[in-house]
Amino acid sequence: MALLPSGLVVPALPYLLVLGLGTLLTTLLLLGFEPPVGKLHVLALLPWMAIGGMAHGFYQIPQPPGLYPEWVGPLFGAPAVYVTTYVVVAAVWLLLILLGTAIGKLDRVVTYLGATGVGVLIVFLGAMVWQGIGPGLSFTPLWPTVAFLISLALTAVIYFLVSLRWTGVVARTGIAGAVVLFAHTFDGVITMIGKDVLEGGERTPIPAMIMDVAGSLPTAPYLGSGWLFLLVKVLLATLVIITFAEYIEERPARGHLLLVIITAVGAGPAVNNFVLFTLG
């Protein structure tokens, strides 16, 4: 059985060169500046992950290149969208580091990074609503919004329970651990709703396999098949938080960067589904 999602398209050579050079240049510059990376960076980068998920969703509707001009569409297909998002975020981060250095507020860069991401995300949300209420696409935000709110509530409850059992873990991971848990809870909840309520398909093999297992159980007529995927996501995210707590204390920058990557694995697909379900 294939392990990669369906719909992956490698862009043409010119796009690969642009993305490759952009990745190399921004990475070398970030390594040169060596910006501090902490708990707040995981939170500050969350809206940028959502932007990446929305950018790919716009590519998929109604079909590639979706809402983009033909020439720019390949930058937002999968897996190119991950690299495109990285290059954009890295470039913004570098510019903010230069700005922070110039005005003597280098410690505020993480705040600027998060605020900039929120601003861009609001623009993307506005574009999604504009497309939804226009001709050609439906606008059905009810269930995606319900999924978002349920995810917030579940995250709060689960993280509180984790703090009761592993108080030291939550003290070390802080807001970064909550962000990781929310990203994967949101992915699990919206996937479950998409499968059991909206009767959508799943293009990623491993989640599809997990839901097939749940669908074969006697509980399927009552609980559906998406609950098992949600449970697996929550358990894995909790395990990551517990496992990384000590590593974050020993190697803060590297540990938090790894949490950023783990968060993106949940947040990107979750927001992508949010767009697809909202625009029907």
Side-chain angles (χ1 to χ4, degrees):
M1 183 184 70
L3 295 178
L4 296 176
S6 60
L8 296 181
V9 178
V10 178
L13 183 59
Y15 296 96
L16 291 177
L17 290 175
V18 169
L19 291 174
L21 289 173
T23 301
L24 179 62
L25 180 60
T26 53
T27 301
L28 289 176
L29 288 172
L30 283 175
L31 290 174
F33 280 112
E34 291 186 348
V37 182
K39 296 178 179 64
L40 288 179
H41 287 82
V42 184
L43 176 63
L45 290 169
L46 182 61
W48 290 105
M49 300 172 197
I51 291 165
M54 294 189 75
H56 184 51
F58 291 164
Y59 170 82
Q60 294 169 284
I61 295 175
Q63 60 184 10
L67 305 179
Y68 301 106
E70 189 75 29
W71 65 272
V72 77
L75 292 174
F76 299 100
V81 65
Y82 299 107
V83 185
T84 302
T85 304
Y86 169 80
V87 172
V88 170
V89 175
V92 171
W93 196 349
L94 288 166
L95 289 173
L96 292 175
I97 290 172
L98 293 175
L99 175 64
T101 303
I103 64 176
K105 293 186 177 181
L106 200 56
D107 59 324
R108 302 286 293 175
V109 167
V110 62
T111 303
Y112 301 150
L113 184 62
T116 306
V118 170
V120 177
L121 180 59
I122 291 172
V123 173
F124 270 64
L125 287 170
M128 183 181 68
V129 174
W130 179 262
Q131 290 294 331
I133 62 178
L137 294 174
S138 62
F139 185 58
T140 53
L142 174 60
W143 283 110
T145 303
V146 168
F148 178 77
L149 295 176
I150 290 175
S151 302
L152 284 175
L154 272 178
T155 300
V157 172
I158 295 169
Y159 208 50
F160 173 72
L161 294 176
V162 171
S163 71
L164 294 180
R165 176 63 180 83
W166 294 282
T167 306
V169 167
V170 172
R172 293 187 187 99
T173 58
I175 190 65
V179 171
V180 172
L181 182 59
F182 168 74
H184 287 274
T185 300
F186 188 23
D187 188 25
V189 170
I190 200 163
T191 300
M192 179 181 68
I193 288 178
K195 179 69 173 178
D196 294 332
V197 179
L198 303 178
E199 298 181 346
E202 176 57 53
R203 64 175 186 164
T204 306
I206 293 178
M209 181 180 67
I210 293 172
M211 289 185 282
D212 285 344
V213 171
S216 66
L217 298 176
T219 55
Y222 312 101
L223 300 178
S225 58
W227 66 270
L228 184 58
F229 178 66
L230 171 60
L231 179 61
V232 169
K233 293 286 285 186
V234 168
L235 290 177
L236 287 177
T238 304
L239 181 62
V240 165
I241 294 168
I242 295 170
T243 304
F244 271 69
E246 189 171 338
Y247 184 70
I248 287 172
E249 195 169 46
E250 295 174 357
R251 296 177 177 268
R254 188 175 299 179
H256 287 108
L257 279 175
L258 288 173
L259 287 186
V260 167
I261 295 171
I262 293 168
T263 302
V265 171
V271 177
N272 178 247
N273 280 335
F274 185 92
V275 173
L276 295 179
F277 297 155
T278 300
L279 296 181

